[in-house]
Amino acid sequence: MEKLSYVYINKELHPILGYSSRQIKAMDYMESQKLICVDDLPSIEEYLRSFQESGNEDVREVEFRVKNIHGQWWWVKARGKVFKRNAGGKVTQIISIIQDWSQKKEAEEKKQENEFMQALLQKKDEFMSVASHELKTPITTIKASLQVLQRQVERQVDESILLVFIKRAILQINKLSTLIGDLMDNTKIQSGKLRLDISSCTMDEIIADSILHGFNLENIIIENTVTEPVEVDRIRIEQVLTNYISNAIKYSPGSDKILLRVNTEGDSVKVSVRDFGIGIAREKTPYVFDRFFRVNEASTQFSGLGLGLYISAEIINLHQGRYGVESEEGKGSTFWFSVPFKHQPTNESSM
Ligand code: ADP
């Protein structure tokens, strides 16, 4: 079809478009394209082109948006068939019926919205189920430890035995407070209320504080440090480092060696935590800093909510730093972050 023009427009379209039959008939295809939503032009081109390969009885369809005389957009649907061919069999005319499709489209959009909401609710339920399980497990251990303690105290047993149960309860309470802290941080991030409290300190001090979080010091090898002071939120950077180290331990069931390296990189300081654990498949690494993302979602082997790295990434972003991971499945991972030595306050990050 070298040239396309309108011969007859069904009456249903008149109130929708607001143009008279005469006005429409006077338009050619080029002119009427101005009334069609640009995003839908490729599907219309494809619709028109498809008739060249159509049999005479084939019905082709296309949905698109048109702008009426008042500037409002309407969904319409065209259904067409080959009408005339030239002596060489080339299609020269098609017949198309155009219908108002806005209500159907609205219903379709509503349906999609509903499906999206359902999927969202399902995700929320899944999260609630994971979160309650994660919170319940330490509470059960704490309760059991306290019950044992109570019995031992009643029997006035040796204090060293009591200490074992007290330590066990404290470990679980620490786990609980990290979980609750992560949930609260997530809420703060969502409402844009995560703020930094900047002060000057050294990475050495932060590392020293981080590894005091109950980690086995013998397994953490510090390869290199930087003593130059850095302007950061000390508690938040410690949180990132603690998260990296506890993940390195958690996801390395067969190995307990962790290498910690601090380097200067231009005007930033870079910290890397390397483990020799399960590693992460290459295609999954771009997502590990996403909220709720867990590589081993289906497995109950490793506990977690999938929030730690997301919160770490947000903290580093507020410092205008960078973060990342290099990993090989089955060999181990290196999680790293870098922050500028001098903090540049932004509206979001400054106190
Ligand atoms: P969580 O550990 O609570 O699941 P994180 O946000 O800390 O959440 O980590 C997200 C996911 O990234 C984890 O579920 C895990 O699959 C993967 N991951 C994080 N750190 C490591 C690591 N050191 N080795 C292997 N996988 C890791």
Side-chain angles (χ1 to χ4, degrees):
M1 283 154 287
E2 281 88 27
K3 191 170 176 301
L4 226 144
S5 58
Y6 301 95
V7 188
Y8 173 79
I9 302 289
N10 45 322
K11 286 213 169 64
E12 191 195 352
L13 277 187
H14 291 189
I16 295 170
L17 291 179
Y19 295 99
S20 68
S21 280
R22 199 147 36 85
Q23 277 171 307
I24 296 176
K25 271 189 223 165
M27 279 181 206
D28 63 8
Y29 178 59
M30 291 305 280
E31 221 181 316
S32 67
Q33 272 188 340
K34 288 181 204 142
L35 304 180
I36 296 168
C37 175
V38 277
D39 292 345
D40 300 333
L41 286 174
S43 13
I44 294 181
E45 295 294 340
E46 176 53 31
Y47 169 74
L48 296 174
R49 202 200 49 77
S50 71
F51 288 103
Q52 296 303 344
E53 288 138 28
S54 293
N56 287 351
E57 291 312 312
D58 293 343
V59 176
R60 305 275 173 181
E61 297 181 344
V62 65
E63 291 169 21
F64 57 98
R65 282 154 287 186
V66 285
K67 192 163 33 174
N68 71 10
I69 206 161
H70 311 293
Q72 297 157 322
W73 289 102
W74 285 85
W75 273 103
V76 293
K77 180 170 186 159
R79 276 202 189 93
K81 269 172 121 179
V82 171
F83 190 58
K84 261 189 194 159
R85 295 179 189 269
N86 63 15
K90 197 166 181 260
V91 178
T92 52
Q93 273 186 31
I94 58 165
I95 181 157
S96 246
I97 294 169
I98 300 177
Q99 281 177 282
D100 175 12
W101 209 243
S102 44
Q103 270 172 14
K104 289 252 172 35
K105 215 60 199 177
E106 220 171 84
E108 218 173 79
E109 273 163 16
K110 268 239 147 54
K111 192 169 160 245
Q112 272 174 4
E113 210 174 282
N114 270 342
E115 282 168 2
F116 177 74
M117 288 308 288
Q118 285 304 324
L120 214 63
L121 282 176
Q122 197 185 334
K123 272 251 163 260
K124 205 170 165 187
D125 285 344
E126 272 169 30
F127 174 73
M128 294 293 273
S129 138
V130 174
S132 26
H133 178 78
E134 290 295 310
L135 293 169
K136 181 96 205 265
T137 314
I139 288 175
T140 312
T141 315
I142 294 167
K143 193 174 163 193
S145 293
L146 289 175
Q147 282 167 342
V148 174
L149 267 177
Q150 188 185 14
R151 258 178 271 137
Q152 306 290 6
V153 171
E154 280 162 4
R155 284 190 220 148
Q156 296 181 335
V157 294
D158 185 357
E159 277 179 14
S160 62
I161 297 175
L162 302 184
L163 205 61
V164 173
F165 291 98
I166 292 173
K167 278 189 177 161
R168 197 173 289 169
I170 290 176
L171 191 79
Q172 295 303 321
I173 286 179
N174 285 343
K175 261 194 179 174
L176 264 182
S177 86
T178 309
L179 277 173
I180 295 168
D182 280 357
L183 288 170
M184 288 167 73
D185 282 347
N186 174 50
T187 312
K188 275 190 197 156
I189 294 168
Q190 296 314 304
S191 56
K193 286 186 182 146
L194 190 71
R195 297 273 186 271
L196 299 182
D197 181 6
I198 301 292
S199 65
S200 183
C201 61
T202 65
M203 267 306 163
D204 273 359
E205 289 167 329
I206 296 180
I207 290 172
D209 287 348
S210 301
I211 45 191
L212 282 181
H213 277 261
F215 299 128
N216 189 352
L217 293 179
E218 281 166 29
N219 304 331
I220 302 175
I221 301 162
I222 302 175
E223 290 192 321
N224 191 38
T225 60
V226 170
T227 47
E228 202 181 319
V230 53
E231 292 172 1
V232 288
D233 183 324
R234 185 174 171 158
I235 303 291
R236 289 294 182 186
I237 293 295
E238 188 186 315
Q239 182 181 349
V240 176
L241 195 53
T242 309
N243 181 228
Y244 279 15
I245 298 174
S246 38
N247 276 350
I249 295 169
K250 181 162 69 173
Y251 297 105
S252 305
S255 147
D256 45 18
K257 190 169 78 174
I258 290 161
L259 305 181
L260 226 156
R261 169 169 274 278
V262 189
N263 282 96
T264 300
E265 253 192 19
D267 56 3
S268 295
V269 56
K270 178 176 175 179
V271 182
S272 318
V273 177
R274 180 167 178 205
D275 66 59
F276 301 87
I278 60 167
I280 303 163
R282 184 185 288 266
E283 68 276 12
K284 301 277 173 68
T285 52
Y287 308 106
V288 290
F289 289 91
D290 288 357
R291 193 154 69 117
F292 302 136
F293 183 84
R294 305 201 70 217
V295 176
N296 300 290
E297 208 169 340
S299 116
T300 48
Q301 197 187 350
F302 305 103
S303 63
L305 294 177
L307 278 174
L309 288 179
Y310 164 71
I311 296 166
S312 299
E314 288 298 315
I315 292 172
I316 300 303
N317 282 337
L318 283 178
H319 282 85
Q320 299 184 48
R322 299 189 319 119
Y323 55 83
V325 56
E326 281 107 41
S327 188
E328 203 179 323
E329 206 172 6
K331 294 248 166 97
S333 318
T334 304
F335 278 84
W336 61 268
F337 67 85
S338 69
V339 284
F341 281 106
K342 291 256 163 277
H343 179 70
Q344 283 126 26
T346 60
N347 289 342
E348 278 166 33
S349 65
S350 56
M351 279 287 284

